[in-house]
Amino acid sequence: MSFNFIEKLDLANKSVFLRLDLNVPLDEAGEITDITRIERSLRTIQYVLQFTNKIVIASHLGRPKSGPEAKYSLEAVGSKLSELLKIEIAFVKDYVKAPVDQLIQQLGKNRIILLENLRFFPQETANDKGFAATLAKGIDYYISDAFGAVHRAHASVAALPERFPSQKKAIGFLLREELKALDQLRDTVQAPFTLVIGGAKVSDKVGILLNLIDSCNNILVGGAMAYTFLKYQGKAIGNSLCEPNAERLLQSIFNNAKARKVSIYLPDDHICGKSLEDTQTRICEGDIPDAWMGLDIGPRTIERYKNVLLSSKTVFWNGPLGVFERPAFRQGTLAIARTIAETDCFSVAGGGDSVAAINLAGVADRFSHISTGGGAALEYLEGKTLPGLKALTI
Ligand code: AMP
């Protein structure tokens, strides 16, 4: 696939639709907990601002169910953007009833447009062509830096760029950097290559496991994922989160790993609690008793995983190894982040949770690349055609 890069476009005084991924993590009170995605979008915005201030920024935030939900408003993101860019943001809530083409012309210096959460309109996730036509009103160029959304066939990432001819659309700095790092990981892997997979849902990550089994040497499994694996092996997992009906998936993972001599590592001790909120934790070695849940990998597992990581030359990490949001269950995830940071290997981490954990451990600068898109990175590495990239090809 080849794309125009932003530097190829003549943007002087032109109007630009900038699809970014400003889908920042929020806490229960709706406060932004990590601004990585905002910060990583700044370079492209600043670049465009050198040529024009007729900029319309758009993003999704969270998964609102049907229509506007105050907690998913992009207004707070707009304030942060305004503060970081030192520019005024014209925040537009209903751009379907009143498209922004008139407003673009009235922007004047030092003022750009931010559209309210695209997913407040059901037409966005339906990849609706009419919605895309509305977004395109008064726009000369489409630029995407929304790596975290390119695996979605949604209107602002698929139907909208499809409307623009090759010479009128491009990728920005972040999207270029993401693709370069993931291409490097996929095409020039140095052995031993270790995949660290955590998080909750096996079915979300099976594709990557099966795809990268061809090129990886070790798979370290953590998070709730691990309990689905352990149950399949006949271990007692107590009340731990476990995905039902995953036997066939696991069978193919184990069969493929065996055929290709890939080692799959599973936790053999666990930090357990009776609920996610529990602070009365205990370490369970081997089997987990009834009523207890495995919520983090235990100290012995951390040591085993560390040894594998320290002798790796390439590492890809997706998903936390425990319920890292809770201090009682974050040691495993932090230890993995710190260990990867200690090595000189080519290291890529993807996914909002892994990135938040890396920031928490304070080791972001030690990773070769931190991807802003978990799902997108997984699907890209699986070799899938991503709708948001297909729509940008020239
Ligand atoms: P994912 O989106 O699949 O990467 O899953 C991330 C979520 O998995 C995080 O919110 C973690 O709290 C959660 N998680 C990780 N380990 C466990 C576990 N052992 N039990 C329950 N949830 C977990």
Side-chain angles (χ1 to χ4, degrees):
M1 277 188 178
S2 62
F3 311 101
N4 266 333
F5 181 52
I6 190 171
E7 285 176 335
K8 270 198 143 184
L9 307 183
D10 176 11
L11 298 174
N13 210 28
K14 294 288 195 303
S15 55
V16 175
F17 187 96
L18 207 48
R19 177 55 163 103
L20 303 177
D21 175 12
L22 303 173
N23 181 27
V24 289
L26 304 169
D27 64 15
E28 280 140 24
E31 298 288 325
I32 301 172
T33 55
D34 187 290
I35 61 164
T36 304
R37 281 179 166 152
I38 300 179
E39 288 176 329
R40 302 274 296 272
S41 302
L42 294 179
R43 187 167 173 203
T44 293
I45 308 175
Q46 278 158 339
Y47 176 84
V48 179
L49 273 169
Q50 291 176 288
F51 304 97
T52 179
N53 64 301
K54 293 179 188 159
I55 303 176
V56 178
I57 294 178
S59 173
H60 67 286
L61 177 64
R63 294 185 182 192
K65 286 192 189 69
S66 56
E69 267 180 73
K71 71 170 175 176
Y72 293 126
S73 171
L74 275 173
E75 208 159 357
V77 170
S79 306
K80 194 76 212 170
L81 259 185
S82 171
E83 178 192 321
L84 294 168
L85 290 166
K86 298 185 178 53
I87 202 168
E88 198 187 317
I89 301 278
F91 187 65
V92 182
K93 286 192 176 160
D94 193 345
Y95 37 91
V96 170
K97 252 194 220 138
V100 293
D101 48 338
Q102 300 291 322
L103 183 59
I104 296 172
Q105 298 308 323
Q106 297 155 15
L107 279 171
K109 225 176 162 354
N110 259 331
R111 191 159 171 253
I112 59 175
I113 293 172
L114 172 66
L115 302 183
E116 176 58 288
N117 192 348
L118 290 158
R119 289 193 188 162
F120 283 0
F121 298 91
Q123 303 94 307
E124 164 68 359
T125 47
N127 199 16
D128 184 277
K129 288 195 169 139
F131 184 58
T134 305
L135 295 175
K137 274 192 186 156
I139 300 289
D140 298 318
Y141 287 94
Y142 175 94
I143 294 168
S144 174
D145 235 359
F147 179 68
V150 288
H151 58 314
R152 307 279 185 209
H154 291 174
S156 65
V157 280
L160 178 58
E162 274 161 17
R163 298 177 58 87
F164 286 78
S166 298
Q167 70 278 15
K168 294 277 173 89
K169 57 187 170 190
I171 62 172
F173 290 93
L174 175 61
L175 193 38
R176 183 175 69 164
E177 184 193 323
E178 294 273 10
L179 298 179
K180 193 174 154 214
L182 295 176
D183 285 343
Q184 187 177 345
L185 182 76
R186 202 180 46 189
D187 304 334
T188 55
V189 161
Q190 271 200 63
F193 174 21
T194 300
L195 194 59
V196 185
I197 289 284
K201 281 196 90 190
V202 175
S203 49
D204 275 4
K205 309 195 182 181
V206 160
I208 185 94
L209 286 172
L210 289 175
N211 195 279
L212 289 187
I213 269 179
D214 280 337
S215 53
C216 79
N217 307 95
N218 310 299
I219 300 176
L220 308 180
V221 186
M225 292 256 297
Y227 300 103
T228 308
F229 278 74
L230 288 167
K231 185 161 184 219
Y232 174 81
Q233 289 190 330
K235 303 271 166 35
I237 60 161
N239 244 349
S240 308
L241 201 67
C242 175
E243 198 167 314
N245 311 319
E247 291 78 11
R248 286 209 15 228
L249 295 177
L250 287 169
Q251 194 176 21
S252 62
I253 291 170
F254 279 113
N255 286 346
N256 276 283
K258 194 169 167 202
R260 292 171 172 80
K261 297 193 170 48
V262 175
S263 308
I264 297 184
Y265 294 79
L266 298 173
D268 54 4
D269 64 341
H270 321 268
I271 309 293
C272 296
K274 288 199 168 150
S275 72
L276 262 59
E277 289 76 34
D278 208 348
T279 47
Q280 305 290 310
T281 64
R282 62 181 270 197
I283 298 176
C284 296
E285 309 221 334
D287 288 343
I288 299 176
D290 290 347
W292 289 84
M293 303 169 82
L295 296 170
D296 195 5
I297 54 173
R300 200 167 65 197
T301 306
I302 291 180
E303 283 312 308
R304 283 170 54 230
Y305 286 14
K306 266 185 170 180
N307 288 335
V308 177
L309 289 168
L310 290 173
S311 61
S312 300
K313 289 239 162 62
T314 309
V315 173
F316 178 70
W317 176 22
N318 176 278
L321 287 99
V323 182
F324 84 104
E325 296 93 335
R326 307 260 164 205
F329 306 114
R330 67 168 60 135
Q331 290 317 315
T333 305
L334 292 181
I336 294 304
R338 291 189 187 115
T339 306
I340 299 173
E342 252 178 61
T343 68
D344 287 323
C345 67
F346 182 70
S347 52
V348 178
D353 289 325
S354 319
V355 176
I358 290 166
N359 287 336
L360 206 63
V363 293
D365 57 336
R366 293 287 305 150
F367 277 70
S368 312
H369 179 69
I370 296 183
S371 177
T372 52
L378 291 178
E379 292 196 20
Y380 187 76
L381 290 171
E382 275 170 46
K384 287 190 180 163
T385 302
L386 309 188
L389 292 181
K390 189 163 168 253
L392 287 166
T393 47
I394 53 171

